[in-house]
Amino acid sequence: SPQAITLPASLNGRIAAAGEEDRYTFTLAKESLGAYTFETFAERVGSPLVARLTLRSAKGQVLATSASAPGARD
């Protein structure tokens, strides 16, 4: 199940097996709406990870999705 976090945050993870995922959940109050940056450090640290980010509403509706570009995994 997703791990609850509070923004702002810096997260570190390690993928141990192919297909493994790290999932997090957070809540944004109306007064904290604004711009956020999500960044991965895979290629820069020599990891073969291909990152994918999906933001969902509290009801599970996909709000935005982003995947690493071919040849640039970070």
Side-chain angles (χ1 to χ4, degrees):
S1 72
Q3 179 182 346
I5 61 169
T6 301
L7 296 181
S10 177
L11 307 168
N12 294 300
R14 183 172 297 245
I15 303 296
E20 183 179 329
E21 297 179 338
D22 287 345
R23 292 178 178 234
Y24 303 94
T25 182
F26 56 89
T27 301
L28 293 177
K30 287 183 182 180
E31 60 273 5
S32 62
L33 293 178
Y36 288 87
T37 300
F38 298 87
E39 185 173 10
T40 60
F41 288 82
E43 187 171 21
R44 288 175 271 186
V45 297
S47 169
L49 177 79
V50 176
R52 179 182 60 211
L53 171 70
T54 302
L55 296 176
R56 297 179 185 271
S57 70
K59 295 180 180 181
Q61 177 185 17
V62 174
L63 302 174
T65 188
S66 176
S68 302
R73 295 186 317 273
D74 290 347

